[in-house]
Amino acid sequence: MESVGEWPEPVLCVQSLSESGNLVIPNQYIKPPSERPSVCLTDTNIPVIDMTGLISLRQETMKQVFEACREWGFMQLVNHGVKTELLDGAREIWQEFFHAPMEVKKKYANSPKTYEGFGSRLGVEKGAILDWNDYYFLNYHANCQTKWPDYPPYLRDVMEEYSKEIQRLGKVFLKVFSINLGLNEDCLQNAFGGKDIGACLRANFYPKCPQPDLTLGLSSHSDPGGMTFLLPDKRVSGLQIRKNDQWVSVKPVLPNAIIVNIGDQLQVLSNSIYKSVEHRVVVHQDEERVSLAYFYNPRNEMLIQPLSELVTSKTPALYPPMTFDDYRRFIRTKGPQGKLQVDSLKSTR
Ligand code: OGA
Ligand code: NI
């Protein structure tokens, strides 16, 4: 595996590019025509799930979740019980961080070794086409190195409270996902490593872009982890998911709906019954956008493979066993690519 010690070329902060007043974007942000944002004509939206029906394991809601996992890999959650003030507070805090002077943000500059901290690129391929975003990547897990910013000062308190709330939702979902597969209710939680799963956060900041038609805020990718809880911007849309070779825009039905999606590890564990679906982000000329992606992941050392209960002579295992850590290292050398990374592993069997 190639070394991922340092960036192959100097990294530009996208927010600084955006503020430079330049009306053309640098060449390394210009996507090939086939990858540029296209007009989304479809009027469909991802399924809406009511959390109250999940907690009480209501049959109809369980069925809606099952369909969402199989057909969409995405759903949006309402009535989740996470307080509006907490959600607003979390978004505002990151907005404030990304608007801090460069001297502040620079202190947390990340490297491709762990990606922890403030960054503006993914992948280490020299000369790669880049995405129009800055981000902050944080590991929550106690055993991992954590690199919390100390500006704004209350960021850590807010984000730890936020984490508790998301973990509460995560446990409910893994239970429902397990039952829907005909398994013991704690089966997936155990496969993730039990009570203390791996959790990390990617705060995304998409600055205004003078030529939004030529680039993307985040290239097409599937999330490598277990499942993702995405808190989108309250005012500005941008997330699109791939459905039958078309891009569907995600339209939150309520300002505080939380988007939930299946990651690659759940696709592997479910032997492809649940789908980890490609998605991307488009940017805007007059609006910046902030979003918080919370990755509810297996612990690093967990060996992930199709659950034995789901492997039969008619449905053989589609993926080789791999620890989550190895899997993540494998895709981190590549950056976000326009294909489902996990599917490319099938051919290596
Ligand atoms: C991600 C992601 C979507 C968004 O961070 O993996 O897909 O809307 N984000 O920012
Ligand atoms: Ni994603």
Side-chain angles (χ1 to χ4, degrees):
M1 199 166 289
E2 69 193 277
S3 154
V4 288
E6 283 312 318
W7 301 115
E9 53 218 345
V11 180
L12 297 170
C13 166
V14 177
Q15 170 70 346
S16 308
L17 285 174
S18 173
E19 283 174 347
S20 72
N22 234 329
L23 295 180
V24 289
I25 61 174
N27 280 341
Q28 69 262 42
Y29 293 89
I30 301 182
K31 305 283 175 192
S34 65
E35 289 172 28
R36 292 179 196 168
S38 39
V39 190
C40 285
L41 292 173
T42 147
D43 216 25
T44 47
N45 201 358
I46 58 172
V48 179
I49 302 294
D50 185 337
M51 184 81 191
T52 42
L54 274 191
I55 290 172
S56 60
L57 303 179
R58 210 172 140 222
Q59 216 159 34
E60 194 188 327
T61 317
M62 302 278 289
K63 206 165 149 229
Q64 287 166 348
V65 171
F66 191 54
E67 286 309 306
C69 293
R70 281 198 326 182
E71 301 292 328
W72 291 86
F74 268 81
M75 58 204 115
Q76 49 178 319
L77 189 63
V78 296
N79 291 331
H80 44 60
V82 188
K83 289 204 173 64
T84 299
E85 302 83 74
L86 179 59
L87 298 178
D88 287 347
R91 281 187 277 234
E92 278 160 24
I93 245 171
W94 285 105
Q95 193 100 27
E96 206 174 323
F97 175 83
F98 287 112
H99 278 282
M102 199 52 209
E103 298 86 75
V104 174
K105 294 186 283 195
K106 224 168 48 192
K107 280 203 299 194
Y108 308 101
N110 71 356
S111 87
K113 216 169 178 170
T114 66
Y115 279 89
E116 275 195 289
F118 175 69
S120 300
R121 78 176 278 163
L122 293 171
V124 292
E125 190 194 332
K126 200 169 163 96
I129 310 279
L130 304 177
D131 290 339
W132 193 263
N133 97 346
D134 294 329
Y135 64 89
Y136 201 104
F137 186 74
L138 262 179
N139 248 318
Y140 272 106
H141 205 265
N143 296 340
C144 298
Q145 198 189 346
T146 54
K147 194 170 174 184
W148 289 89
D150 37 15
Y151 177 86
Y154 37 90
L155 181 145
R156 185 166 184 167
D157 287 348
V158 173
M159 293 318 294
E160 280 183 345
E161 194 186 340
Y162 184 79
S163 179
K164 276 194 204 127
E165 285 292 89
I166 301 293
Q167 298 234 1
R168 171 177 67 81
L169 304 181
K171 290 198 172 79
V172 175
F173 269 97
L174 285 191
K175 180 171 157 184
V176 168
F177 290 168
S178 299
I179 296 172
N180 274 342
L181 290 170
L183 306 167
N184 267 340
E185 64 174 53
D186 49 7
C187 193
L188 285 170
Q189 190 74 49
N190 289 340
F192 272 43
K195 208 158 55 69
D196 295 317
I197 52 97
C200 34
L201 179 90
R202 196 180 127 102
N204 294 299
F205 184 68
Y206 305 96
K208 292 176 191 170
C209 177
Q211 294 179 297
D213 297 343
L214 300 183
T215 191
L216 287 171
L218 199 51
S219 298
S220 177
H221 67 284
S222 64
D223 292 346
M227 62 188 299
T228 307
F229 291 87
L230 181 88
L231 182 66
D233 197 286
K234 219 168 175 165
R235 297 171 308 110
V236 185
S237 62
L239 176 63
Q240 299 181 340
I241 73 167
R242 198 199 279 279
K243 172 87 172 145
N244 304 332
D245 272 330
Q246 274 202 323
W247 289 102
V248 174
S249 288
V250 170
K251 299 174 275 281
V253 284
L254 291 172
N256 278 337
I258 295 176
I259 314 295
V260 182
N261 67 284
I262 300 287
D264 295 349
Q265 305 307 306
L266 274 175
Q267 177 168 328
V268 171
L269 285 163
S270 72
N271 205 21
S272 208
I273 295 175
Y274 294 161
K275 302 294 187 305
S276 173
V277 168
E278 275 180 67
H279 50 287
R280 68 180 190 182
V281 175
V282 299
V283 290
H284 307 280
Q285 193 161 17
D286 304 315
E287 308 263 24
E288 62 186 31
R289 178 171 181 269
V290 74
S291 74
L292 307 181
Y294 187 104
F295 303 110
Y296 190 94
N297 291 339
R299 277 173 28 190
N300 283 343
E301 71 278 15
M302 296 307 289
L303 194 63
I304 303 293
Q305 58 190 317
L307 291 164
S308 57
E309 295 90 330
L310 304 176
V311 176
T312 66
S313 54
K314 280 205 189 103
T315 56
L318 293 171
Y319 310 99
M322 198 177 212
T323 64
F324 177 47
D325 208 28
D326 284 343
Y327 182 83
R328 198 147 61 166
R329 230 192 328 262
F330 169 80
I331 65 158
R332 267 183 182 168
T333 55
K334 301 183 163 198
Q337 290 191 340
K339 67 181 167 58
L340 197 59
Q341 302 281 357
V342 75
D343 281 340
S344 66
L345 286 178
K346 284 184 197 169
S347 56
T348 65
R349 291 191 81 214

